[in-house]
Each structure stands twice: as structure tokens, then as C-alpha cells.
Amino acid sequence: IERAAKREVAGRMVNVIAVEDLVLMKMISEREKDLDDARKLIRRFGSSLDVGYLEPRLVEITEALAIPDRLALFRKELKNKT
């Protein structure tokens, strides 16, 4: 919630998740749809992503969950962003 941004939606102010946090959640999901969403988010927002925030957290979580392929996927997509 600390990193959420306030946005107006349908006339009401709501908290919207930061894209880095959404990428993080999608990257650690087991669903292929979430991984595809993460790829798209990285490609779309790659140049504006706060990699200094995101990558260390992704390293920690992928190590703890024993899913190093997700970190490799993140780095590959970041490198190939459009």
C-alpha cells in the first residue's frame, strides 16, 4: 500500500498497485497467464520500471521459492523490452 498511487476511477479515489509490485506478483505465480502478463508488463513499462526496487526483491523471492527460471525470464524480458 505504501507504493500504491492514488487514481480517480469512476469518480472515486482508489489505490492502484505500482507496476513493479504487480510484475513481482505475476512473476512468482504458477499460472502461465500470469507469467505472460508479467512479460507484457515488462515490455510495456521496461524503460520506466524501478529495477533497483524490483530486481533485489525478485532475487530474494525466487531463491526462497526455488524458481530461478523466473529471475532469468525477468532479465531476458527486460533486456528485450520494446
Side-chain angles (χ1 to χ4, degrees):
I1 299 223
E2 290 176 15
R3 293 179 39 83
K6 292 253 186 222
R7 299 281 190 250
E8 186 174 337
V9 177
R12 299 183 72 179
M13 295 303 287
V14 297
N15 288 324
V16 177
I17 189 170
V19 69
E20 292 86 0
D21 295 320
L22 183 56
V23 168
L24 182 60
M25 289 190 298
K26 296 281 188 177
M27 290 296 295
I28 63 172
S29 173
E30 294 181 7
R31 295 178 347 145
E32 188 59 39
K33 170 75 171 105
D34 288 324
L35 292 176
D36 188 49
D37 289 346
R39 287 181 190 100
K40 290 175 183 174
L41 287 165
I42 295 165
R43 290 176 194 152
R44 167 66 175 87
F45 296 100
S47 61
S48 63
L49 284 175
D50 184 350
V51 178
Y53 167 83
L54 180 55
E55 190 164 14
R57 283 158 181 81
L58 192 55
V59 166
E60 182 180 357
I61 292 172
T62 58
E63 286 176 1
L65 297 176
I67 50 172
D69 59 309
R70 304 304 169 80
L71 181 59
L73 174 65
F74 169 75
R75 289 176 172 159
K76 176 185 171 192
E77 291 300 331
L78 194 61
K79 184 177 180 181
N80 295 326
K81 70 183 181 307
T82 56

